[in-house]
């Protein structure tokens, strides 16, 4: 995900976490957080790798 910072500039691609909400055809993906530090980035990428998502 590439988001804008408080200065209006893009931060560059960052990993994000989320969850599926709802059931059946009303299911959607909700972003829970975007990595804001190197530690968060490593944590998100490690979980994704362990779950076979990368």
């Amino acid at each position: 995900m590439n988001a804008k910072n408080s200065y209006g500039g893009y931060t560059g691609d960052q990993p994000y976490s989320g969850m599926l909400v709802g059931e059946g055809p009303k299911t959607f993906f909700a972003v829970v957080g975007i990595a804001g530090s190197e530690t968060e980035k490593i944590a998100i990428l490690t979980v994704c790798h362990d779950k076979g998502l990368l």
Side-chain angles (χ1 to χ4, degrees):
M1 177 175 289
N2 192 1
K4 286 187 176 182
N5 62 22
S6 61
Y7 298 106
Y10 285 98
T11 60
D13 290 339
Q14 295 295 326
Y16 58 92
S17 60
M19 57 191 252
L20 293 174
V21 180
E23 293 184 23
K26 294 185 179 184
T27 301
F28 63 93
F29 183 82
V31 174
V32 174
I34 302 170
S37 69
E38 191 64 24
T39 302
E40 291 172 346
K41 182 177 182 177
I42 291 168
I44 291 171
L45 292 175
T46 298
V47 170
C48 289
H49 181 267
D50 292 349
K51 299 287 184 184
L53 300 172
L54 291 177

